[in-house]
Amino acid sequence: MSTDAFKKYAIAFCVILTLVLCLTLAFILLSSCKIVSVCASALDLSDIPNITINLKYHGHNFVYNSSEHIPNVTNFLQERTLHKHNRTGTHVERATVIDCMVNNRIPIRDAFCYMFFDWQEYFDKVLDVVNIEPKDAELKFLPHQAPYFEITKERIGYKLNQDDVLRNIVTELYKTDNITLELTPKALLPNVYATNLKRLTSKLSSFSTSYASSSVARKHNVSLALSHFDGMRVAPKQTISFNNITGERTKERGYQEAHMILEHEYVDAVGGGVCQASTTLYNALLLARLDIDEVHSHSLPSSYVDLGFDAMVNFGTSDLRFTNPYDTPIFIRVECNNKTVKVEIFGQNYAQNIKIKRVNEIISRISPPIDKVEVDAQGEYLDKIQYKDEWLYKKQPKDGFKVKAYLEYYKDGKLLKRKSIRTVTYQPQQGIKIYGAKNRPKLENIDSDFLQTLGNILGKN
């Protein structure tokens, strides 16, 4: 074959191949256009029946329109699946499918989420408004405000039974595509009511002692010890230890040196005066009818309280312990000024119209031993005594006592009962006489007539 002939055949082959390729491409383009046209028609979900569900509650309207919640369909098969299972069907069709799912043990909540797009998001908003947890009434003790107690009223809660609401919607779906339901949640009652808390605020007792004549340091110690109880809430059946609450009486804890009873003597020591704090508290506890688990008396009488009603404390050896016997809490308030210290106890009054009196009875007196005698060798009392025949009491002798303490219970002025609290023995205190150290000078060369005359004058005066 000549070269010219070969060129002709080659050109003809290229032209034919080009035509074939163009026809193939045209066919592919036409087919694609038909598929796009079909899919575009299938993806048109604008004709889905609209179902309106309006849930009403206390002025709120929660509206769900199914036409506003169109599924995100990305292909033809998904769209056909929606129609096949009536997920875009009429209200009756959807109700039928939901019942069918429930009958096959599918939870009704899951059935609704399957049948109505974005359902859970919609219903969660309903629950956020309707469901409210109940709230108990609250009591705050404010011992240095007026009034001392602040009560916050209780709140009733509400809880919607979601499944019941959904069943009611299904029932309505068989009737209409425009549903309106009034929600009726269940009321949840609180456990604590303000009226109950109000009963806890009665004043059960009040007791005061005087420390007007005490030193600044002693007043400080009394106030410091009682400050640990100020505003205290004692739970039902709870036991309180005075020593555990106040801690050891040391300078590091803020206590100062002051007068106190120690081993039958009055001395200055760190924490002096704390026993007046415990005594004041003890008497308030007695009058409030709390249980006293441990209490101790002093070895000597205390000037600030009646015999038999003192409460001595010493860290590590002697404590004041008490228990709240009631089924409700009690509250302790402390008030200290420059003259008196007061303890008040509040709680529910289980014994209304009952008045309690503290009574003591001296069983016997104990005479003090013979006075101790000292000589003013250092001249401490020269402004009062000088000579050996002059003396004064450095310490007055005092009787001891054996005392019985009682609580008397009265109603309408009549004695109901008399309860023995304890029997206490207070030791007598030995007196100390101090004499002058000098010999009195003798009177010499004085006329006897003059002495007689002087005696007569003095006698007349």
Side-chain angles (χ1 to χ4, degrees), residues 19 53 63-64 66 92 108 119 136 138 145 169 203 220 239 246 265 267 269 276 299 310 343 377 422 440 449:
L19 290 173
I53 300 172
V63 180
Y64 177 92
S66 62
V92 176
I108 193 169
W119 177 262
D136 291 342
E138 294 181 352
Q145 295 186 22
I169 292 175
K203 184 187 290 188
H220 167 81
T239 297
T246 59
E265 297 288 342
V267 299
Q276 183 167 354
S299 58
D310 57 324
V343 174
R422 57 179 176 163
R440 185 177 292 276
D449 292 337

Side-chain angles (χ1 to χ4, degrees), residues 372-377 381 385 391 394 432-436:
K372 182 179 178 181
V373 176
E374 295 180 357
V375 176
D376 185 21
Y381 301 92
I385 56 172
W391 64 272
K394 180 180 180 180
I432 300 178
K433 276 183 176 179
I434 187 162
Y435 285 81

